Amino acid sequence: MNTVKTGMLLAGLMALFGVVGYFLGGGTGMMIALGFGLATNLFAYWNSDRLALAAHNAVEVDERTAPELVRMVRDLSRRAGLPMPRVYLIDNPQPNAFATGRNPENAAVAATTGLLHMLSHDEVAGVMAHELAHIKNRDTLIMTVSATIAGAIATLAQFGFLFGGRGENRPNPIVMIGTALLAPLAAMIIQMAISRSREYDADRMGAEICGQPLSLASALARIAGGVAHIPNPDAERRPATASLFIINPLSGQGVDNLFSTHPATENRIAALHALAQEMGASAQPPGFFAQSSSSPWGSVRGPSGGPAGTRRGPWG
């Protein structure tokens, strides 16, 4: 049912393309818009991962440049039964992460430097497991395609408003203004529904992959707190990519909260605590990954908030 629902929502995005084209250019405009939508779909299928990574200036890393993170992702991928994805770092102080790619064989996970600096080793493992769950569920294609289409709808509406027909062929100004304002909002609502329907599933599967639902719950709380105080300029400039992240990276002021692409963080945390009880984890379990004193996460403040020595870089 989740797959059917997502397919219907993606079809809704395509239909929205046609509606925008109709209001801006009549029947001809609708056909042009639908053709543009089809071309966007094909382009997004092959290139949406690269676009998402480039939009946030992500840099690919390996065991030489980020040994601990890459080894962590490899171990978690093995547990999840997935091919090893490409691993990227985003030089951004806001703690966050996302996954992208059209299938598990062509997938990538990206983490911000803020995530690695602010979270403990087990919390980072929980976040990476969540992103691998998106890959395993093939959410990454759906979410990156929907982000690309939503951005294209906003561009189409604005382009039509600025360069619509001339003279008698120009649509009613009120219709054009309404389309330019409401089409991106409608695309955002559809994109929100696609993303929200998949975050709970990824939380649950991610917790099962790493075996630590409470570590993921703690990570979500830390990330939400960081997002509330640390802006992400790249995400603010490209709000269509917000649904890709584990926590909405936008500032969320005012009306944005009504149309968040993610479920309420407190509800996700509550669901993970319930899962921990189901798994018999009434207290925070020991770390899945053994940490040595030289671990780059050994200095990060743990869930209790106590310091753990001198902070080091998270890439070895």
Side-chain angles (χ1 to χ4, degrees), residues 4-28:
V4 172
K5 177 183 176 183
T6 301
M8 293 175 65
L9 290 169
L10 286 171
L13 277 172
M14 279 297 295
L16 186 57
F17 253 117
V19 171
V20 171
Y22 180 80
F23 279 119
L24 295 177
T28 301

Side-chain angles (χ1 to χ4, degrees), residues 75-111:
D75 289 341
L76 288 167
S77 299
R78 190 177 298 116
R79 286 176 62 90
L82 289 170
M84 175 66 180
R86 303 188 309 280
V87 181
Y88 287 79
L89 273 179
I90 301 170
D91 187 12
N92 191 305
Q94 184 190 89
N96 228 317
F98 68 84
T100 184
R102 63 183 182 272
N103 54 41
E105 291 72 33
N106 295 276
V109 293

Side-chain angles (χ1 to χ4, degrees), residues 64 270 308:
R64 180 181 58 83

